[in-house]
Amino acid sequence: DTGVSQDPRHKITKRGQNVTFRCDPISEHNRLYWYRQTLGQGPEFLTYFQNEAQLEKSRLLSDRFSAERPKGSFSTLEIQRTEQGDSAMYLCASSPEADEQYFGPGTRLTVT
Amino acid sequence: GQNIDQPTEMTATEGAIVQINCTYQTSGFNGLFWYQQHAGEAPTFLSYNVLDGLEEKGRFSSFLSRSKGYSYLLLKELQMKDSASYLCAVRGRSTGFQKLVFGTGTRLLVSP
C-alpha cells in the first residue's frame, strides 16, 4: 500500500495520560501536515513539516502538543496530559510539493 | 484570515445533478480544493482550481471565480455512493501557501 498510514487507528485514554500517534507519509512526499477534526467540522490545521523542519504551527497547538519528523520521513504527534477536549480525529496528510494533500485514515482519540 | 461558507446539508435523487457552492474570503489566494469525506473516513481529493473557470473530471466538475470569491462543485449522474460530506478548502498567502483552511463541509444525502 503506497498511501499515507497512521497508527493507531483508535486510541482510548484516561484524562491526564500522554499519547503518541505516528504517521508514515507517501514515500516521495517531502511535506507532511497534521490536522484535527471534530464531528461536524472540517479539518483544522495543527502543524506542517517540510522534510524534517517544522515550518508552521497553529495557535491551536498548545504547549501540551508536540510534533516531530526526525529524519524527514515518518512523523509523531504527542499530546501530554490529555484533556477531554482533545477527543477528536487526528489526520495526517502529505504532499510532494504545494499540490493536493493526501490524507491518511486518521487516529480517533477518545479521552475519558 | 480566512472565512469559508458552504451549505450544511443538501439532498438529491439518484441520477440527478447537484451543485454545492462555496464562498470564501482570503488574502493572496493560491488555490481552492474540494475533498470528499465519507463518514468515519479520511478526506479524499476531488479537484483543484487556481485559475478562473471550470475543471472537469468525469462526473465531477469544479468552477472558480476568484473575483467573486466563489466556487462550486457539480456532481452529475448521482449515485448512492456519492452520499458523503464535501469539503471546500482554500490556500492563501496568510496560510503561507501551505496549509489548507477547510469549510465545515456540506453533507450530501442521495436518495433512490
Side-chain angles (χ1 to χ4, degrees):
Chain A
D1 184 36
T2 57
V4 178
S5 61
Q6 292 187 244
D7 184 69
R9 295 290 305 276
H10 303 274
K11 179 71 179 177
I12 300 173
T13 191
K14 292 185 177 178
R15 190 176 54 186
Q17 298 295 305
N18 299 344
V19 293
T20 300
F21 309 142
R22 177 181 169 121
C23 170
D24 287 88
I26 294 171
S27 59
E28 62 269 25
H29 289 185
N30 63 352
R31 297 176 187 216
L32 186 147
Y33 312 78
W34 285 98
Y35 292 83
R36 179 172 68 186
Q37 186 176 27
T38 53
L39 201 61
Q41 300 296 314
E44 293 176 291
F45 171 79
L46 293 178
T47 191
Y48 154 66
F49 290 86
Q50 185 167 331
N51 299 311
E52 64 276 6
Q54 187 175 20
L55 297 185
E56 192 172 351
K57 194 172 165 179
S58 165
R59 280 171 286 180
L60 289 174
L61 222 61
S62 75
D63 56 8
R64 296 185 297 106
F65 287 70
S66 62
E68 293 182 340
R69 194 182 183 197
K71 296 181 181 177
S73 55
F74 74 91
S75 174
T76 58
L77 177 69
E78 182 183 15
I79 309 174
Q80 295 182 328
R81 306 181 302 281
T82 51
E83 301 173 356
Q84 287 188 319
D86 298 331
S87 295
M89 175 77 87
Y90 289 83
L91 293 164
C92 176
S94 70
S95 68
E97 292 296 332
D99 291 332
E100 64 266 21
Q101 297 174 20
Y102 296 85
F103 284 83
T107 295
R108 182 170 295 284
L109 172 67
T110 302
V111 181
T112 61
Chain B
Q2 292 80 41
N3 189 34
I4 300 170
D5 287 310
Q6 47 181 134
T8 304
E9 195 169 286
M10 297 182 72
T11 58
T13 306
E14 199 173 11
I17 300 173
V18 71
Q19 178 174 310
I20 302 174
N21 296 325
C22 171
T23 58
Y24 65 88
Q25 293 175 319
T26 188
S27 58
F29 175 85
N30 193 37
L32 186 141
F33 297 77
W34 284 95
Y35 282 81
Q36 180 191 60
Q37 187 175 29
H38 286 97
E41 297 182 12
T44 54
F45 170 76
L46 289 178
S47 70
Y48 167 60
N49 295 71
V50 67
L51 299 176
D52 291 351
L54 189 68
E55 294 282 340
E56 296 188 77
K57 262 189 178 184
R59 295 189 299 114
F60 293 3
S61 304
S62 58
F63 171 83
L64 176 67
S65 168
R66 289 172 295 170
S67 62
K68 295 181 179 177
Y70 168 68
S71 172
Y72 67 72
L73 180 70
L74 193 72
L75 293 75
K76 302 176 190 173
E77 301 167 17
L78 281 173
Q79 302 174 10
M80 297 296 290
K81 67 178 182 179
D82 297 329
S83 292
S85 281
Y86 291 86
L87 300 162
C88 172
V90 297
R91 190 170 61 192
R93 183 183 301 120
S94 57
T95 71
F97 298 114
Q98 303 304 338
K99 67 177 185 267
L100 297 178
V101 177
F102 285 85
T104 55
T106 297
R107 193 162 55 247
L108 174 66
L109 179 63
V110 180
S111 57

